[in-house]
Amino acid sequence: DTGVSQDPRHKITKRGQNVTFRCDPISEHNRLYWYRQTLGQGPEFLTYFQNEAQLEKSRLLSDRFSAERPKGSFSTLEIQRTEQGDSAMYLCASSSTRGNSPLHFGNGTRLTVT
Amino acid sequence: GQNIDQPTEMTATEGAIVQINCTYQTSGFNGLFWYQQHAGEAPTFLSYNVLDGLEEKGRFSSFLSRSKGYSYLLLKELQMKDSASYLCAVRNAGNNRKLIWGLGTSLAVNP
């Protein structure tokens, strides 16, 4: 168990550019979540996968955001035409389907849009 | 609506005991989690309660009362490294089992 890994750790981009983040969950976990967190706030839910199926996407999420989990293993989160308000920590988490299974978080990708 | 309340900040002394409270109002309940988050790092799982009562895990304990919509995290023998944000999260019932998060309690442990 190597834990949840995210890449890159930091990303600085100019407004209007597209960015893509990757998440590799714990191998036996079939649930994968993307969250966004800004300073002093709790994690904000973005989207959720069970295996390769995207089961829910936050209504707060604009169409510029898209996520995939093509083979039910790693996932990517893409933000198109980035805006300064997209600057945040993007957290990926995974869990099993057991009833008391907690979410295990990766170290996050910190995005700065200039 | 759905709401989770916890104090914004707390201060305690090294070696002491501190209790961080969390109250929740959610449309469904399928367990309550406590996470620790150091500045600039990801949340780390601490404890899980789904039945009423106290769960003890070393220096940390967590209590749940479902009828009152209330939980607390108890930290004993505080150490400087316990200075962090402590997040309370409630898992929804239903298929997505999504977590609803509080804003976190920033704990400062002083010598």
Side-chain angles (χ1 to χ4, degrees):
Chain A
D1 177 1
T2 57
V4 179
S5 62
Q6 292 187 245
D7 183 69
R9 289 295 306 275
H10 303 276
K11 178 71 176 178
I12 300 173
T13 191
K14 292 185 178 178
R15 190 176 54 185
Q17 297 296 303
N18 299 344
V19 294
T20 300
F21 309 142
R22 176 180 170 124
C23 171
D24 287 88
I26 293 172
S27 57
E28 61 265 28
H29 286 178
N30 60 356
R31 291 195 169 128
L32 187 147
Y33 301 79
W34 284 99
Y35 285 86
R36 175 171 63 188
Q37 189 177 27
T38 54
L39 197 62
Q41 303 292 314
E44 175 192 4
F45 172 78
L46 296 179
T47 191
Y48 153 71
F49 290 86
Q50 180 155 315
N51 300 313
E52 65 275 11
Q54 187 174 20
L55 298 186
E56 185 174 349
K57 185 176 176 180
S58 170
R59 283 171 287 182
L60 301 176
L61 214 58
S62 80
D63 291 340
R64 297 184 297 106
F65 287 71
S66 62
E68 294 183 343
R69 195 183 183 196
K71 297 180 181 178
S73 56
F74 74 92
S75 175
T76 57
L77 176 69
E78 181 183 16
I79 309 174
Q80 296 180 330
R81 305 181 302 282
T82 52
E83 301 172 357
Q84 286 187 320
D86 297 333
S87 296
M89 175 76 86
Y90 288 83
L91 294 166
C92 176
S94 70
S95 73
S96 73
T97 53
R98 288 199 323 273
N100 62 351
S101 174
L103 269 62
H104 295 268
F105 285 87
N107 285 326
T109 294
R110 180 167 295 285
L111 173 67
T112 303
V113 181
T114 61
Chain B
Q2 307 198 91
N3 196 47
I4 296 181
D5 287 316
Q6 43 181 138
T8 305
E9 294 179 342
M10 297 184 72
T11 303
T13 304
E14 194 175 13
I17 299 172
V18 71
Q19 177 174 313
I20 303 174
N21 296 326
C22 170
T23 58
Y24 63 90
Q25 292 175 308
T26 57
S27 57
F29 181 84
N30 199 4
L32 185 144
F33 295 82
W34 283 96
Y35 281 81
Q36 179 191 61
Q37 187 173 26
H38 286 99
E41 298 182 11
T44 304
F45 169 70
L46 289 179
S47 69
Y48 171 77
N49 295 71
V50 67
L51 300 176
D52 290 351
L54 189 68
E55 294 283 339
E56 296 188 79
K57 192 184 289 188
R59 294 190 298 115
F60 294 1
S61 303
S62 57
F63 172 83
L64 175 67
S65 168
R66 289 171 296 171
S67 62
K68 296 181 180 177
Y70 168 70
S71 172
Y72 67 72
L73 180 69
L74 193 71
L75 292 76
K76 303 175 187 175
E77 301 169 12
L78 281 172
Q79 302 175 10
M80 299 295 288
K81 67 179 183 180
D82 297 330
S83 294
S85 182
Y86 291 86
L87 296 157
C88 172
V90 172
R91 174 176 270 166
N92 253 339
N95 289 333
N96 67 13
R97 302 160 71 82
K98 191 168 61 179
L99 288 184
I100 302 162
W101 294 83
L103 298 183
T105 299
S106 179
L107 173 67
V109 179
N110 297 320

